[in-house]
Amino acid sequence: MSERTGRSRVTRWGVPIAAVAVVAAAVGAGPVIAAVQGEPTLPTRTAQQLLADAARAGQSGGVKPMSGTVIQTASLGLPGLPDISGAGGSSPAALLAGSHELKVWYGGADRLRLALPGRMSETDLIVNGDQVWLWQSETNEATRIKGVDRGTESKHASALPSATTPQQAAQEVLSRAATDTVVSVSNTERVADRPAYQLVLAPKDSASLVKEVRLALDGETFVPLRVQVYAKSAAEPAFEVGFTSITFTPPAAENFTFTPPAGAKVTERNADEPGEQDQARQERQRKLEGDLKVVGQGWTSVAVLPFSVKDLGANAAQKADGEGEDATAVATALLGSAKQVSGPWGSGRVIQTKLLSALLTDDGRLLVGAVTPEKLQEAAARG
């Protein structure tokens, strides 16, 4: 991983300025009515003011050193999911259900540590100046990334592809919010024992399966502390990622130092020479981006890409560390609950959870979105 890659994770600790502008346009110029009644613990601020504060906090040098623990919980209502947690529980497929923990230490632009604990293992990314380590306890392997160049865009893939922070989730949510969003704000929240503002974003379009998204911003630093996504007709969040504890003080220096333990397999790699797994991931990502189409926009956008049932086996063969097998097991379980549908667009099978719908057409397309099955079929007819 290059230093730029490590720092790209650091910049996600603030709400992106571009996303702020999109949401600000949705809010309008008038004051916002508080969504929660009670004794205010923070000064009253409009959504526009909060988003501007968050944008400043996300700029270079705006994020204070901090450390904390993040919990991600998913309850998507997936039918018949197999046990895919495995020893590490860190594959993307494993994060579709249950709760998962991420520990974070941020000491500045060049000092970052992320730890993803598993059931009997831990994966760590440690960035300390030009020293970048990836440690995987399950396989007792340590990889040192050398040749870091500040001015070179890294080709190295994300070291922790399944780790999600509230900042990353906030970025995704705000990128979807547009003029079809109702936005309100409250100033009486507490997250990780800190006073927080809460933005509530609710889609106007009834075709969206999202009831609302609640985004909590720290009352002092305006760093995103928690993101909760609520599906319609559900009392609990279908997806939630947030800090359970956070401290805005510089972490101790030893958190950013790493020495491979005795007996560990140690390898070195240049920042511009990704490993085999990274190369495979990058190739799949390039192919996906080349084939992917998006129908619609905002909350009701639908992703469309070429796909068929036989692709599952091919994908499993390309992926390592059980990730492909996990994904195939999940897909097989979901297909077992699929319903046959047809229309002017053709025929296929549709799957609906609390928050997502997927349509696998018989002519080889996969359509996915946080929308009703009817909206998927409408998108299938459009292309």
Side-chain angles (χ1 to χ4, degrees):
M1 168 175 287
S2 74
E3 187 170 39
R4 180 177 290 271
T5 299
R7 293 183 67 177
S8 71
R9 285 192 173 275
V10 174
T11 62
R12 291 172 179 168
W13 295 111
V15 179
I17 296 175
V20 168
V22 172
V23 177
V27 176
V32 178
I33 299 174
V36 177
Q37 301 298 321
E39 188 66 26
T41 59
L42 293 168
T44 300
R45 300 187 76 76
T46 66
Q48 298 96 321
Q49 290 171 325
L50 281 176
L51 292 167
D53 290 333
R56 285 191 291 270
Q59 293 172 353
S60 177
V63 182
K64 294 183 178 180
M66 50 77 67
S67 60
T69 299
V70 174
I71 297 293
Q72 175 181 320
T73 303
S75 178
L76 303 181
L78 298 170
L81 259 187
D83 181 9
I84 55 173
S85 56
S90 60
S91 74
L95 298 182
L96 290 172
S99 296
H100 303 270
E101 182 179 272
L102 175 68
K103 296 182 178 179
V104 179
W105 297 264
Y106 171 60
D110 298 329
R111 305 181 82 184
L112 173 69
R113 181 169 187 156
L114 300 175
L116 189 65
R119 186 179 301 168
M120 299 291 292
S121 63
E122 183 169 294
T123 301
D124 287 66
L125 169 68
I126 304 102
V127 179
N128 190 1
D130 60 357
Q131 298 287 316
V132 181
W133 285 95
L134 176 63
W135 163 243
Q136 297 168 291
S137 68
E138 185 176 15
T139 56
N140 200 27
E141 294 182 77
T143 303
R144 181 184 177 189
I145 312 301
K146 300 177 61 178
V148 173
D149 182 356
R150 290 177 182 267
T152 302
E153 185 67 31
S154 172
K155 298 179 181 179
H156 192 73
S158 298
L160 299 178
S162 54
T164 301
T165 67
Q167 291 68 33
Q168 291 168 300
Q171 176 178 338
E172 176 64 23
V173 167
L174 293 176
S175 70
R176 287 178 175 269
T179 54
D180 61 344
T181 305
V182 176
V183 184
S184 56
V185 64
S186 67
N187 62 345
T188 57
E189 297 296 315
R190 289 194 73 85
V191 178
D193 201 31
R194 292 182 64 85
Y197 293 97
Q198 181 164 268
L199 287 163
V200 180
L201 299 91
K204 293 180 181 179
D205 195 326
S206 61
S208 173
L209 294 180
V210 177
K211 176 185 178 182
E212 63 185 26
V213 178
R214 302 177 186 179
L215 170 58
L217 302 175
D218 183 74
E220 178 185 353
T221 66
F222 303 103
V223 165
L225 296 179
R226 185 182 66 197
V227 175
Q228 297 172 305
V229 183
Y230 285 79
K232 293 178 178 177
S233 304
E236 299 295 328
F239 176 83
E240 178 176 1
V241 57
F243 284 96
T244 57
S245 64
I246 188 168
T247 303
F248 288 97
T249 56
E254 56 262 29
N255 288 301
F256 307 104
T257 60
F258 177 76
T259 301
K265 178 184 177 181
V266 179
T267 59
E268 292 188 348
R269 187 164 70 234
N270 289 329
D272 58 352
E273 296 178 359
E276 293 182 4
Q277 293 182 28
D278 294 331
Q279 290 176 333
R281 288 193 182 101
Q282 290 174 7
E283 181 59 32
R284 291 197 299 272
Q285 183 66 25
R286 282 192 292 269
K287 187 177 186 306
L288 177 63
E289 291 175 352
D291 294 338
L292 180 66
K293 291 174 55 180
V294 178
V295 178
Q297 60 184 352
W299 300 104
T300 56
S301 61
V302 174
V304 185
L305 67 157
F307 199 79
S308 65
V309 175
K310 67 179 182 180
D311 291 329
L312 296 176
N315 288 343
Q318 294 174 4
K319 297 183 180 181
D321 298 332
E323 183 179 319
E325 288 78 3
D326 281 354
T328 301
V330 171
T332 300
L334 292 176
L335 286 173
S337 68
K339 297 179 179 179
Q340 290 286 339
V341 292
S342 62
W345 51 270
S347 60
R349 286 174 284 180
V350 68
I351 303 161
Q352 181 177 353
T353 70
K354 293 179 184 178
L355 202 58
L356 296 171
S357 295
L359 172 62
L360 185 60
T361 67
D362 292 337
D363 61 9
R365 291 177 291 164
L366 175 64
L367 296 88
V368 181
V371 297
T372 61
E374 292 75 19
K375 192 70 174 180
L376 289 183
Q377 295 183 57
E378 179 185 317
R382 292 171 57 185

